[in-house]
């Protein structure tokens, strides 16, 4: 095994067991992250990206059924680890920028206290003064104006983008080995987004931080990601170096994603409808049985697509889940 | 959680089936000539006046739970009716209601309850009402604090934008989210109510017509000198078990509603 | 002549916050803003995170009281409308909103079905299951039956956002205020939602007020754009003018930060960022609020606050560069 491997997820499956049926949120997902590498999970809404993150953190709700061959973090199988070990690495070695930061901020505790708490969690010795000074530094790093004042404010008094940045500050405060960033910049304007991306990139260079970037925004990945995994309906349908995904998309879903992103960038949403239509079939009853997940929407489907395609190596570099290569 | 529920179910079961488990009436004197040791006829013995402790203790469950549940229910209702509008509307109303709350919190509750019982007379209804009237402030504060944080949530604003009225918002949108911590506090309140009722009866201020654990203990105070340990042991065991299991239930509820924190 | 839906004059909102044990300060969240929003228009607001966009919409919805200034809805004073029960009900029926945070705008104790039935209940309209299922289908939650009985925390981020949009459209309002409506959606669903909005607008002549950080998207849908910075509108104009002839230096900076969805473009790896401190909302910079970060500034800028200057038909800018005196 490569020794600069930080995280390796093998054959992860997650099902949510609801009262009347179950949701297959993640199906057979395998991926790895090297030290200092940024790996992106992109894919449509509801394709299981956040679920993968929660599974790694051990934060899935009790009614979720998780199984995997292994989830190795820094050489240790965290699937078999006990809750004590998990709560130790959580917030210290692995931190997350959650997709819904507001729900994870305590509404009745001031921003300053929450950051200090996070700082003290992995460095109990620091004094209140030092914690405050560090908190101010952190808020400056994420480009928040008047950090001293913001420390005294409560979460509901922050704007959407401020709350998100406070959370980013807490997540990077611990100097983690792995940062899972789930849609970290959705509430930020473009100039601040650019600065946050720069910040993450610097942390990567300075501290050899590894990042799992979860996003639906391909332009983010083009700046930060080394490798990209494209997810569709709980499965990885294509994986490749970032360049490869952009310049040579192979899976029909990836193609659609790239075309749509470009169309939106060029301001052609109205035409996009027809464009997407030209790339996809009208969806019939999808999700039936053991066939290709994308079949309902696929243009160039064939007979064999009635069976589920495996993730096949392609061109020596990529892996693609599609029969028609 | 599992322990407390099992224990509590056993206690409730014993209380409900008291009429079947014993044929003796709880407060009738003269079953035995005097202080009698536990035996097959009197599983927990009798007191000096020949009252059956077993029957008394079992019927005591009913009294304790009745007082606990009804007074807690009332307490919760009063707390919500006060805490909800105080937190939701804020401003003058909030100040007024919180002054009243502070007043109630600042006076020694147990002494006040004793006075009230003396003034209004020691009937079970009075005891329950008095308990509720003097207990709501703590829970009302919890309700208010929760409402304060929840009313800033966007789903409350979303309801306003949809055109929901204040009552609709308070009771349908906010209240369900306030309930978890209130239920925890209510469980604690219940064990407290049971203890206070026992205390009142112990001081001779309980309803003379109901079987209460406190009153057996008052008797035990004398009986213990002549070797009547059973008059002390059994009712104390039941009080402890009930209060403990209700407290454990509160803890369990607390864990249930606050799943492990993230950091 | 098209009807004026909202007319806003010199709107201000100051929040009083504690900054120390005894110290207090005013946060100038919105500091003198004018809008004129016409029927059938898609009016977009962009701007720096924390510049007061959400605060403006909260005042439009009557959720916050303006500190100063006037809001008129269809020529009538908004506070008057809201103090009259009947008028308020009408206003609520006709003006709907999608809030910025899809996570906290859904009640955690309600199922999707409860949430979508609520608007009908509030306005005593008949609830038909068909209508609710169709709403879900329109926002791409297919099959609807799978979602009806779920709680909001059982949905992915993008799915929650779509429930919020469905709720806002349920009563067929005339005006819809959308705060970052597509931030959590992937491109294909984004396109679907935007096309839905466009269709509805064409069919029912809806008016939209859209806040978004995604400038490229606005190219396709915006009629007018306002650019906010530190509580002020620094530029306002028809969308094509803002994109093709941006005037204000902040607008220029913003447009430059749009990352293209393509890793090969030389621009991506060195994202241009707007350097300098973000403005404090308590003590905004004197003179022009943008001056500390502006590369075009000259002697006037840090002394005198610029006026709103009309530099083209319906195109206004708040910058000394364009003062011809
Ligand atoms: N707690 C839950 N209970 C039941 N189903 C869930 C739960 N959380 C997520 N799901 C479902 O699992 C699937 C994957 O959800 P997940 O949140 O991982 O998606 P995602 O890729 O992060 O999407 P998005 O980009 O919209 O956030 C979705 O269909 C979602 O409805
Ligand atoms: N209830 C409040 N109390 C105090 N200050 C507030 C309150 N709400 C907002 N603010 C402050 O007002 C300013 C503007 O906030 P607003 O939410 O309008 O920003 P925004 O433009 O929507 O930003 P974003 O794009 O990040 O959501 C911020 O500095 C924020 O901290
Ligand atoms: S396997 Fe077939 S159906 Fe599936 S994506 Fe490829 S071509 Fe389309
Ligand atoms: Mg997600
Ligand atoms: Mg906002």
């Amino acid at each position: 095994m490569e020794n600069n491997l930080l995280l390796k997820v093998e054959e992860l499956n997650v099902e949510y067991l609801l009262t009347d049926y179950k949701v297959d949120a993640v199906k057979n997902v395998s991926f790895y992250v090297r030290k200092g590498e940024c790996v992106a999970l992109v894919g449509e809404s509801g394709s299981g990206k956040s679920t993968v993150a929660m599974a790694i953190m051990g934060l899935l709700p009790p009614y979720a059924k998780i199984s995997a061959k292994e989830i190795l973090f820094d050489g240790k199988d965290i699937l078999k680890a006990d809750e004590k070990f998990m709560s130790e690495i959580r917030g210290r070695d692995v931190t997350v920028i959650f997709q819904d930061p507001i729900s994870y901020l305590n509404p009745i505790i001031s921003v300053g206290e929450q950051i200090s708490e996070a700082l003290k969690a992995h460095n109990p010795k620091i004094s209140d003064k030092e914690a405050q000074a560090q908190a101010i530094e952190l808020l400056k790093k994420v480009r928040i104006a008047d950090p001293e004042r913001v420390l005294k404010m409560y979460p509901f008094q922050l704007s959407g983008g401020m709350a998100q940045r406070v959370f980013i500050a807490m997540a990077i405060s611990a100097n983690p080995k792995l940062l899972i960033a789930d849609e970290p910049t959705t509430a930020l304007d473009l100039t601040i987004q650019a600065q946050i991306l720069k910040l993450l990139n610097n942390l990567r260079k300075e501290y050899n931080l590894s990042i799992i970037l979860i996003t639906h925004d391909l332009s983010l990945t083009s700046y930060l990601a080394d490798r990209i995994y494209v997810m569709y309906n709980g499965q990885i349908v294509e994986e490749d170096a970032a360049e490869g995904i952009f310049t040579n998309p192979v899976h029909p879903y990836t193609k659609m994603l790239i075309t749509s992103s470009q169309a939106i960038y060029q301001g052609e949403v109205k035409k996009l409808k027809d464009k997407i239509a030209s790339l996809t079939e009208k969806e019939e009853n999808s999700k039936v049985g053991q066939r290709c997940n994308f079949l309902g929407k696929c243009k160039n489907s064939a007979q064999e697509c009635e069976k589920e395609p495996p993730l096949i190596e392609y061109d020596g570099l990529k892996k693609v889940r599609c029969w028609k290569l | 959680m599992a322990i407390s529920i099992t224990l509590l179910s056993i206690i409730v079961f014993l209380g409900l089936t008291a009429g079947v488990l014993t044929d003796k009436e709880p407060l009738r004197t003269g079953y035995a000539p005097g202080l009698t040791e536990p035996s097959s006829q009197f599983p927990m013995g009798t007191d000096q006046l020949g009252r059956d402790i077993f029957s008394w203790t079992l019927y005591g469950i009913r009294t304790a739970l009745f007082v606990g549940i009804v007074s807690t229910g009332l307490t919760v209702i009063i707390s919500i009716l006060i805490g909800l509008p105080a937190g939701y509307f804020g401003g003058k109303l909030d100040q007024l209601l919180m002054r009243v709350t502070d007043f109630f919190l600042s006076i020694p509750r147990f002494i006040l309850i004793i006075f009230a019982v003396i003034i209004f007379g020691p009937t079970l209804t009075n005891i329950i009402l008095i308990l509720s009237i003097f207990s709501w402030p703590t829970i009302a504060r919890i309700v208010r604090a929760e409402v304060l944080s929840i009313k800033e949530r966007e789903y409350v604003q979303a309801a306003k934008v949809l055109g929901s009225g204040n009552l609709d918002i308070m009771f349908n949108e906010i209240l369900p989210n306030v309930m978890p911590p209130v239920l925890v506090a209510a469980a604690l309140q219940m064990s407290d109510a049971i203890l206070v009722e026992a205390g009142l009866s112990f001081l001779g201020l309980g309803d003379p017509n109901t079987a209460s654990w406190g009153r057996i203990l008052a008797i035990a105070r004398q009986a213990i000198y002549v070797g009547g340990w059973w008059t002390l042991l059994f009712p104390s065991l039941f009080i402890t078990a009930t209060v403990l299991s209700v407290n454990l239930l509160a803890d369990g509820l607390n864990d249930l509603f606050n799943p492990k924190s993230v950091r | 002549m098209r009807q004026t839906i909202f007319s806003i004059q010199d709107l201000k909102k100051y929040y009083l916050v504690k900054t120390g044990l005894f110290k207090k300060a005013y946060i100038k969240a919105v500091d003198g803003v004018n809008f004129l929003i016409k029927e059938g228009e898609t009016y977009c607001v962009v701007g720096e995170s924390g510049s007061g966009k959400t605060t403006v919409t909260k005042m439009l919805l009557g959720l916050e009281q303006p500190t100063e200034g006037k809001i008129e809805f269809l020529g009538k004073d908004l506070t008057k409308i809201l103090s009259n029960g009947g008028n308020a009900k009408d206003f609520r029926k006709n003006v709907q909103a999608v809030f910025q945070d899809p996570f906290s705008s859904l009640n955690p104790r309600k199922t999707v079905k409860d949430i979508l039935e609520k608007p009908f209940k509030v306005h005593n309209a008949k609830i038909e299951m068909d209508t609710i299922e169709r709403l879900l289908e329109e926002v791409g939650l297919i099959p609807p039956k799978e979602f009806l009985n779920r709680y909001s925390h059982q949905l992915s981020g993008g799915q929650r956002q779509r429930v919020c949009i469905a709720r806002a459209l349920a009563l067929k309002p005339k005006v819809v205020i959308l705060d970052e409506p597509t931030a959590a959606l992937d491109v294909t669903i984004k396109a679907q939602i935007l096309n839905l909005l466009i269709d509805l607008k064409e069919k029912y002549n809806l008016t939209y007020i859209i806040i978004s950080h995604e400038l490229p998207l606005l190219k396709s849908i915006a009629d007018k754009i306002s650019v906010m910075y530190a509580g002020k509108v620094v530029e306002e104009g028809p969308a094509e003018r803002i994109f093709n002839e941006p005037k204000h230096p902040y607008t220029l900076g913003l447009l430059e930060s749009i990352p293209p969805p393509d890793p090969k473009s030389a621009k991506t790896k060195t994202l241009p960022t707007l350097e300098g401190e973000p403005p404090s909302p308590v003590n905004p910079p004197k003179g022009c609020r943008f001056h500390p970060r502006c590369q075009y500034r000259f002697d006037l800028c840090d002394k005198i606050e610029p006026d709103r200057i009309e530099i083209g038909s319906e195109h206004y800018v708040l910058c000394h560069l364009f003062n011809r005196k």
Side-chain angles (χ1 to χ4, degrees):
Chain A
M1 196 168 106
E2 280 179 87
N3 63 355
N4 67 344
L5 206 61
L6 183 68
L7 178 77
K8 188 169 163 221
V9 176
E10 279 287 322
E11 293 174 24
L12 174 68
N13 286 286
V14 181
E15 289 169 359
Y16 292 104
L17 304 173
L18 302 181
T19 40
D20 36 356
Y21 62 94
K22 68 179 202 285
V23 184
D24 283 318
V26 173
K27 291 174 257 183
N28 225 339
V29 164
S30 306
F31 67 99
Y32 61 90
V33 187
R34 296 196 193 93
K35 288 180 181 147
E37 189 182 39
C38 174
V39 161
L41 300 182
V42 303
E44 65 160 2
S45 166
S47 61
K49 305 180 296 291
S50 302
T51 304
V52 169
M54 292 308 211
I56 296 171
M57 293 295 281
L59 289 178
L60 287 171
Y63 54 86
K65 206 178 116 216
I66 172 172
S67 69
K69 212 161 131 199
E70 58 181 8
I71 304 180
L72 280 186
F73 176 75
D74 226 1
K76 192 158 164 96
D77 194 340
I78 52 181
L79 205 60
K80 298 199 185 81
D82 53 1
E83 180 53 34
K84 188 166 158 280
F85 176 79
M86 284 311 290
S87 60
E88 255 169 41
I89 67 165
R90 219 186 277 143
R92 191 189 64 196
D93 295 339
V94 192
T95 56
V96 202
I97 302 167
F98 289 103
Q99 195 173 10
D100 53 338
I102 286 269
S103 334
Y104 287 91
L105 291 172
N106 189 330
I108 50 174
I109 298 181
S110 72
V111 168
E113 276 174 71
Q114 297 194 46
I115 301 183
S116 304
E117 222 174 85
L119 285 167
K120 283 183 180 157
H122 64 273
N123 187 2
K125 272 178 242 136
I126 70 175
S127 68
D128 285 349
K129 258 233 165 79
E130 272 172 76
Q132 164 134 6
Q134 285 189 21
I136 290 178
E137 263 322 293
L138 280 166
L139 289 188
K140 277 192 183 146
K141 269 194 191 161
V142 293
R143 319 288 306 174
I144 285 188
D146 290 354
E148 290 89 350
R149 174 180 54 80
V150 172
L151 287 184
K152 300 219 170 55
M153 289 170 74
Y154 291 87
F156 76 89
Q157 298 177 316
L158 304 176
S159 80
M162 286 163 78
Q164 195 162 37
R165 281 176 284 160
V166 165
F167 212 83
I168 295 176
M170 300 209 316
I172 61 175
S173 71
N175 257 329
K177 292 180 188 156
L178 175 67
L179 174 69
I180 303 179
D182 194 352
E183 307 281 7
T185 60
T186 43
L188 303 181
D189 66 89
L190 292 174
T191 62
I192 291 177
Q193 169 173 314
Q195 280 156 341
I196 296 289
L197 291 179
K198 259 194 181 161
L199 173 70
L200 292 181
N201 216 6
N202 288 344
L203 288 175
R204 197 148 73 103
K205 286 189 198 128
E206 251 173 80
Y207 301 105
N208 210 21
L209 171 73
S210 307
I211 301 174
I212 299 179
L213 175 67
I214 297 177
T215 182
H216 53 76
D217 186 351
L218 280 174
S219 49
L220 283 192
T221 63
S222 68
Y223 179 69
L224 212 54
D226 300 310
R227 286 183 302 112
I228 297 181
Y229 293 87
V230 182
M231 288 187 71
Y232 183 81
N233 203 356
Q235 287 179 325
I236 289 177
V237 293
E238 182 162 352
E239 59 173 278
D240 196 357
E243 297 258 335
I245 294 281
F246 284 100
T247 50
N248 182 24
V250 172
H251 193 279
Y253 176 68
T254 318
K255 279 185 187 156
M256 186 167 107
L257 206 60
I258 303 264
T259 330
S260 322
S261 303
Q262 267 149 8
I264 285 189
Y265 180 66
Q266 269 132 24
E268 295 170 342
V269 167
K270 282 178 214 171
K271 283 184 229 150
L272 190 58
K273 199 177 178 182
D274 308 327
K275 239 183 203 159
I276 290 180
S278 76
L279 284 168
T280 61
E281 285 283 290
K282 217 177 141 61
E283 187 159 16
E284 334 149 348
N285 51 337
S286 63
K287 285 191 189 169
V288 197
Q290 295 287 6
R291 53 186 212 173
C292 172
N293 262 321
F294 199 59
L295 183 56
K297 289 188 176 171
C298 190
K299 267 259 134 137
N300 37 354
S301 54
Q303 195 63 45
E304 62 261 41
C305 302
E306 288 295 337
K307 276 186 295 174
E308 190 166 4
L311 203 57
I312 309 164
E313 242 172 76
Y314 175 81
D315 237 11
L317 299 164
K318 291 185 180 281
K319 283 189 185 162
V320 185
R321 193 182 287 282
C322 179
W323 289 116
K324 300 205 59 181
L325 297 176
Chain B
M1 190 78 174
I3 305 175
S4 68
I5 288 181
T6 328
L7 205 56
L8 210 56
S9 323
I10 295 174
I11 295 171
V12 171
F13 177 78
L14 290 178
L16 288 179
T17 52
V20 186
L21 293 175
T22 169
D23 54 351
K24 307 199 172 58
E25 281 169 40
L27 295 177
R28 226 174 83 188
T29 53
Y31 279 117
L35 199 61
T36 321
E37 274 190 28
S39 61
S40 58
Q41 198 191 352
F42 306 110
M44 295 182 185
T46 73
D47 71 348
Q48 298 94 316
L49 296 180
R51 286 177 288 208
D52 179 34
I53 307 280
F54 181 61
S55 143
W56 196 343
T57 308
L58 287 192
Y59 281 97
I61 296 178
R62 291 188 182 181
T63 313
L65 291 182
F66 183 71
V67 171
I69 291 171
V70 177
S71 81
T72 306
L74 271 177
T75 307
V76 168
I77 292 173
I78 301 174
S79 315
I80 288 174
L81 289 181
I82 291 183
L84 202 53
Y88 182 73
F89 292 109
K92 290 247 164 59
L93 181 70
D94 184 29
Q95 277 175 13
L96 179 75
L97 291 176
M98 284 304 114
R99 285 283 147 71
V100 179
T101 315
D102 285 341
F103 169 73
F104 272 98
L105 278 176
S106 65
I107 47 183
R109 193 166 68 105
F110 193 60
I111 296 180
L112 224 65
I113 290 178
I114 291 176
F115 275 126
V117 173
I118 293 173
I119 295 170
F120 295 105
T123 65
L124 205 57
T125 325
N126 278 352
I127 291 177
I128 288 175
L129 285 177
I130 289 166
L131 259 172
S132 315
I133 287 171
F134 289 108
S135 305
W136 60 265
T138 340
I139 302 188
R141 298 210 125 221
I142 296 176
V143 172
R144 172 180 171 272
E146 284 294 307
V147 173
L148 279 182
S149 94
I150 287 170
K151 75 168 179 182
E152 300 293 344
R153 297 264 156 162
E154 283 182 339
Y155 60 81
V156 173
Q157 307 200 323
K160 270 188 205 161
V161 168
L162 283 178
S164 300
N166 286 330
L167 283 179
D168 181 15
I169 294 181
M170 280 196 282
F171 287 97
N172 290 330
E173 301 287 333
I174 297 183
L175 188 58
N177 291 289
V178 171
M179 282 326 275
V182 170
L183 286 181
V184 175
L188 290 174
Q189 170 59 34
M190 186 168 145
S191 70
D192 189 58
I194 292 172
L195 279 177
V196 170
E197 191 276 332
L200 286 174
S201 313
F202 180 78
L203 295 177
L205 292 169
D207 188 332
N209 301 317
T210 52
S212 162
W213 292 330
R215 255 177 83 206
I216 320 182
L217 292 181
I219 292 164
R221 214 166 36 159
Q222 293 145 21
I224 198 84
Y225 289 115
V226 285
W229 51 267
W230 52 90
T231 52
L232 180 69
L233 178 70
F234 296 109
S236 315
L237 267 182
F238 270 82
I239 293 184
T240 317
T242 313
V243 170
L244 194 71
S245 62
V246 174
N247 273 335
L248 284 176
L249 183 72
D251 279 355
L253 285 176
N254 198 20
D255 291 345
L256 191 71
F257 295 139
N258 298 311
K260 62 181 178 251
S261 67
V262 182
R263 314 191 135 260
Chain C
M1 188 62 198
R2 281 184 302 168
Q3 231 180 340
T4 302
I5 299 277
F6 273 113
S7 138
I8 304 170
Q9 284 137 40
D10 204 30
L11 194 66
K12 291 186 183 168
K13 177 76 195 178
Y14 294 177
Y15 289 106
L16 192 60
V17 290
K18 272 195 194 151
T19 54
L21 207 47
F22 301 108
K23 277 184 290 180
K24 285 190 176 157
Y26 281 106
I27 292 188
K28 297 173 178 135
V30 175
D31 203 7
V33 159
N34 301 287
F35 286 158
L36 204 65
I37 297 164
K38 298 253 174 73
E39 189 180 11
E41 210 165 54
T42 302
Y43 194 99
C44 296
V45 184
V46 302
E48 157 123 321
S49 168
S51 60
K53 306 180 293 295
T54 300
T55 310
V56 169
T57 62
K58 289 208 168 141
M59 288 189 279
L60 290 183
L61 290 165
L63 296 173
E64 294 277 6
Q65 289 309 309
T67 313
E68 242 179 67
K70 216 160 100 186
I71 302 176
E72 282 180 358
F73 176 70
L74 294 174
K76 275 187 241 128
D77 191 69
L78 185 62
T79 33
K80 288 222 185 82
I81 295 179
L82 290 177
S83 60
N84 171 320
N87 291 348
K89 202 109 197 173
D90 266 358
F91 176 81
R92 291 300 181 207
K93 191 161 178 232
N94 287 322
V95 182
Q96 279 302 313
V98 175
F99 289 94
Q100 183 167 12
D101 184 4
F103 292 86
S104 63
S105 39
L106 298 177
N107 193 329
R109 310 230 160 244
K110 308 267 163 173
T111 61
V112 171
K113 182 161 162 269
D114 297 334
I115 288 168
L116 293 180
E117 280 178 350
K118 181 98 188 186
F120 297 98
K121 277 194 188 144
V122 169
H123 292 278
N124 303 322
K126 226 171 83 198
I127 303 169
E128 277 166 22
M129 229 43 230
D130 279 358
T131 328
I132 288 178
E133 289 186 6
R134 197 168 52 244
L135 275 171
L136 283 172
E137 262 168 31
E138 275 178 343
V139 294
L141 293 175
I142 301 167
K145 287 215 166 53
E146 260 192 32
F147 294 94
L148 283 175
N149 291 324
R150 284 205 220 170
Y151 290 93
S152 64
H153 57 91
Q154 298 175 329
L155 301 172
S156 81
Q159 289 166 345
R160 275 178 238 205
Q161 193 151 43
R162 285 179 271 165
V163 172
C164 295
I165 294 174
R167 171 173 63 187
L169 298 177
L171 290 174
K172 300 228 154 53
K174 297 215 166 63
V175 183
V176 191
I177 300 180
L178 303 115
D179 198 345
E180 304 283 358
T182 57
L185 302 178
D186 64 285
V187 271
T188 50
I189 288 164
K190 208 173 270 188
Q192 184 185 346
I193 296 285
L194 290 174
N195 281 312
L196 171 69
L197 294 180
I198 294 169
D199 284 352
L200 287 177
K201 174 171 157 172
E202 279 163 7
K203 238 192 262 169
Y204 303 109
N205 198 22
L206 295 191
T207 307
Y208 294 124
I209 301 170
I210 300 182
I211 298 180
S212 177
H213 292 307
E214 301 171 275
L215 285 171
L217 272 190
L218 301 189
K219 269 191 212 163
S220 331
I221 51 167
D223 295 321
K224 273 220 178 146
I225 295 183
S226 257
V227 183
M228 285 189 72
Y229 186 83
K232 291 214 174 259
V233 172
V234 294
E235 186 164 357
E236 182 193 359
E240 70 272 17
R241 292 210 36 143
I242 300 281
F243 280 108
N244 301 329
E245 301 166 60
K247 294 292 190 230
H248 196 281
Y250 175 69
T251 316
L252 293 175
L254 205 57
L255 290 175
E256 247 174 37
S257 329
I258 300 179
D262 167 15
K264 292 245 287 228
S265 136
K267 215 171 142 194
T268 10
K269 290 288 166 185
T270 51
L271 274 183
T273 50
L274 204 55
E275 294 304 327
E277 289 281 302
S280 152
V282 174
N283 298 306
K286 278 219 175 54
C288 169
R289 296 189 175 184
F290 189 59
H291 85 259
R293 304 168 84 178
C294 181
Q295 44 175 324
Y296 304 99
R297 71 159 176 265
F298 56 106
D299 51 357
L300 265 187
C301 298
D302 57 353
K303 296 185 188 78
I304 301 171
E305 198 158 345
D307 286 327
R308 198 169 130 103
I309 304 161
E310 182 160 10
I311 48 164
S313 99
E314 301 198 305
H315 189 174
Y316 301 89
V317 66
L318 210 70
C319 173
H320 286 307
L321 287 174
F322 304 95
N323 200 341
R324 274 171 236 115
K325 270 180 278 173

